[in-house]
Amino acid sequence: MDISRIDLNLLATLEVLISERNVTKAAARLHLSQPAVSAQLNRLRDLFGDPLLIPAHRGMIPTAKALALMEPLRQSLDQLRDTLQSHDDFSPARAELIVAIACTDYVQAAVVMPLVLALREKAPGVRVAVRNLNPALLDQQLAAGDVDLAIATPKSDQPHLRTRRLFDETYVLIGRRDHPGLEAGLTVEQFVALEHVIVSPSGGGFASPIDEALAALGHRRKIVMSAASFLFVPEIVSMSDLVALAPRRLLRGRQDRLSCVELAWLTEQFAIDLIWHERNNSHPGQRWIRELIVELTAPTEKTEPPAPARPSRPRKTP
């Protein structure tokens, strides 16, 4: 069969004709005139090389070929209708969709984990494929559709991508419970005297933007370990006298083994954006997931409080 001769309207007409087995009823259902439907039936007969519907005492009866076509034709048209409808309407409870998200391990814990838990309730047919964030390949991955969304610190050289600010993340100093050096009101001098773990995503680095800020004030902290992942940090500090600056959202639900100290003098923070390509901008399913992520990460007036640190020791007077 020459598929270039197939008109989608003809297949829709065939479906209704087989169902109604009457040209007049089919014409009324299709909102067409009876001669127009008769003309389409003749084209279908020529296309399939079969009468398809044979005149009978009342209406028409389908041929064996028409009966063989009926179920696969209905399934194909239903699938096409569902696909077209999904671009106008998205029903989370019924949707089946895979969304690929590129992010760091920190974002996996702070954003993707709550997202997956929410999807199990709101959209159980939506599956999440997490990919390691590779900034050098991100543009290409988004353009090719290998990645649907990135959740990351934005870069200034990506004006062609769509972005939406999710939140600005701040740091909290963490250590084990009853750490002798952690107390409320910790000064910069006390801070740099502690033994620190830092995170170097590229591996092996022993300095960060925070160290540059400390150096500008004439301070240098003692860094004894460089980790490749934030997820490792709470474990190592909970079992030692090491301390670390950790993103606040990473600590939610982890305070049972940690002591957390707010540093009023520490102003460093970093932004986390939702990043996507124009190709996915209008897709209703992708749009719904983006809005859900925004909802789940919306800043609140009061974030989960850190575990209380020991009060500062009273200073001795001479």
Side-chain angles (χ1 to χ4, degrees):
M1 179 183 291
D2 182 4
I3 62 172
S4 65
R5 300 172 58 201
I6 297 178
D7 181 338
L8 185 59
N9 290 324
L10 288 179
L11 296 181
T13 297
L14 178 57
E15 178 192 31
V16 175
L17 279 168
I18 295 175
S19 174
E20 296 292 347
R21 304 187 184 188
N22 183 290
V23 173
T24 302
K25 291 181 180 179
R29 184 168 156 185
L30 292 165
H31 304 289
L32 296 172
S33 66
Q34 184 174 334
V37 174
S38 295
Q40 289 185 347
L41 177 56
N42 289 332
R43 289 179 61 192
L44 285 163
R45 285 168 170 163
D46 178 60
L47 184 65
F48 286 99
D50 187 88
L52 296 175
L53 291 152
I54 301 172
H57 179 63
R58 292 184 178 178
M60 311 177 83
I61 58 172
T63 64
K65 183 155 195 147
L67 291 173
L69 286 169
M70 183 167 61
E71 191 55 32
L73 178 64
R74 178 177 292 124
Q75 289 179 0
S76 298
L77 290 173
D78 282 347
Q79 184 176 8
L80 179 59
R81 281 188 282 261
D82 288 345
T83 300
L84 294 174
Q85 179 68 17
S86 70
H87 285 276
D88 295 325
D89 186 25
F90 180 76
S91 174
R94 296 186 292 107
E96 292 188 3
L97 180 68
I98 296 176
V99 56
I101 301 176
C103 59
T104 64
D105 58 347
Y106 153 68
V107 172
Q108 289 178 37
V111 180
V112 176
M113 185 167 63
L115 171 65
V116 171
L117 295 176
L119 287 174
R120 301 323 303 150
E121 294 184 5
K122 299 174 181 287
V126 175
R127 296 185 288 171
V128 175
V130 177
R131 301 184 184 277
N132 289 327
L133 180 69
N134 187 335
L137 296 178
L138 184 59
D139 283 18
Q140 177 184 338
Q141 291 173 328
L142 288 168
D146 297 329
V147 168
D148 298 308
L149 294 170
I151 305 175
T153 300
K155 294 168 58 180
S156 58
D157 60 347
Q158 295 175 322
H160 54 291
L161 296 176
R162 287 188 173 254
T163 63
R164 181 165 179 177
R165 178 61 44 87
L166 292 179
F167 53 87
D168 292 310
E169 180 64 292
T170 55
Y171 291 98
V172 175
L173 182 65
I174 62 171
R176 66 172 173 83
R177 284 286 196 177
D178 300 320
H179 189 295
L182 289 186
E183 58 183 33
L186 203 68
T187 65
V188 178
E189 291 77 13
Q190 291 171 316
F191 171 80
V192 298
L194 297 169
E195 294 187 324
H196 292 257
V197 179
I198 71 166
V199 173
S200 173
S202 58
F206 281 87
S208 71
I210 290 172
D211 294 285
E212 296 173 9
L214 289 171
L217 297 173
H219 297 287
R220 181 179 180 183
R221 59 178 169 164
K222 186 177 181 180
I223 299 172
V224 301
M225 180 180 180
S226 172
S229 167
F230 268 120
L231 302 186
F232 170 75
V233 172
E235 291 300 317
I236 188 66
V237 302
S238 70
M239 297 184 291
S240 67
D241 280 342
L242 300 176
V243 299
L245 288 172
R248 187 180 303 273
R249 287 172 183 258
L250 186 63
L251 304 177
R252 290 178 175 173
R254 296 176 182 233
Q255 295 94 333
D256 56 331
R257 296 170 60 190
L258 298 172
S259 183
C260 303
V261 174
E262 301 278 2
L263 301 175
W265 47 265
L266 183 68
T267 59
E268 275 69 25
Q269 60 183 25
F270 60 94
I272 293 295
D273 278 12
L274 195 57
I275 306 167
W276 69 97
H277 195 274
E278 185 68 32
R279 68 194 303 276
N280 279 339
N281 188 57
S282 299
H283 188 286
Q286 296 284 344
R287 186 169 59 242
W288 181 84
I289 290 170
R290 292 196 300 267
E291 292 301 324
L292 178 59
I293 293 172
V294 170
E295 176 187 333
L296 292 171
T297 57
T300 57
E301 265 185 43
K302 197 172 185 182
T303 56
E304 186 175 330
R310 295 184 300 109
S312 57
R313 294 185 293 270
R315 299 186 182 276
K316 292 181 180 180
T317 55

